[in-house]
Amino acid sequence: MTANAPQPEAAPVGRSTEGLAALEQAARAAAGRGIPPVERWNPAFCGDLDIRIAADGTWYYLGSPIGRKPLVRLFSTVLRKDADGRTYLVTPVEKIGIRVDDAPFLAVEMAVGRAGDEQVIGFRTNVDDYVEVDAHHPLRFEREPSSGGLKPYVLVRGRLEALVTRAVFYDLVELGEEREVGGARMFGVRSHGTFFPMASAESLEGLR
């Protein structure tokens, strides 16, 4: 996944100018318990806040890491990526733009259940979401331009994805198999009855 598009100039901001404390209060009120229905909310855009999610999953505010994991978890529940490619923190009354270097989440642990055609692959993210790979939460694989290697992503919710960490990706590759897809021999993994191709089997010769 590529980084978000260059940021436009911030619109005049409302509550977001008050900083992290005000945003925390708004997010806490919106979140309640569990993941709030951010996809159904349509608040006014209130501008950008200097929050960045780095490629390694670290959240930064004004250039400094946010060290409170419960706060990061809270903010993660009100994240939304829109059709414009940008990622926002969304409450019922405001929509605040942030920057994401790669994916907003990391898949840091993998669990495998059942066997054969009934195999189920699940991931835990760095903000403690759990997602099982299926037709609604697919895996996709991108070539990394700098190295030519594969970068795997899993859809968590909405348009928000988790980048599968390298260590977990190695475990994922161990589950791989070859199948015929559209007349080509593909290497990939299956979960909940769906096959997710990584790359052509020929292109991975010597890498497995």
Side-chain angles (χ1 to χ4, degrees), residues 44-123:
F45 177 58
C46 297
D48 296 325
L49 192 63
D50 189 5
I51 290 179
R52 178 174 70 93
I53 305 176
D56 66 358
T58 302
W59 287 56
Y60 291 87
Y61 174 61
L62 298 177
S64 297
I66 300 176
R68 293 165 54 197
K69 185 173 180 178
L71 182 58
V72 169
R73 165 63 185 169
L74 174 66
F75 287 162
S76 76
T77 65
V78 292
L79 276 180
R80 190 177 81 193
K81 185 175 181 179
D82 285 358
D84 61 5
R86 297 196 62 206
T87 303
Y88 302 90
L89 294 165
V90 181
T91 74
V93 296
E94 61 187 354
K95 174 179 169 181
I96 300 167
I98 67 170
R99 291 177 293 153
V100 180
D101 289 355
D102 195 332
F105 308 132
L106 296 178
V108 295
E109 289 182 3
M110 184 178 74
V112 183
R114 305 178 198 168
D117 289 338
E118 300 299 315
Q119 178 172 271
V120 174
I121 299 171
F123 294 103

Side-chain angles (χ1 to χ4, degrees), residues 28 32 35 69 118 124-125 138 147 153 165 179 196 205-206:
R28 200 172 298 282
I35 304 296
K69 185 173 180 178
E118 300 299 315
R124 184 182 68 82
T125 73
S147 66
Y153 298 85
T165 59
R179 285 195 176 187
F196 301 94
E205 286 297 327

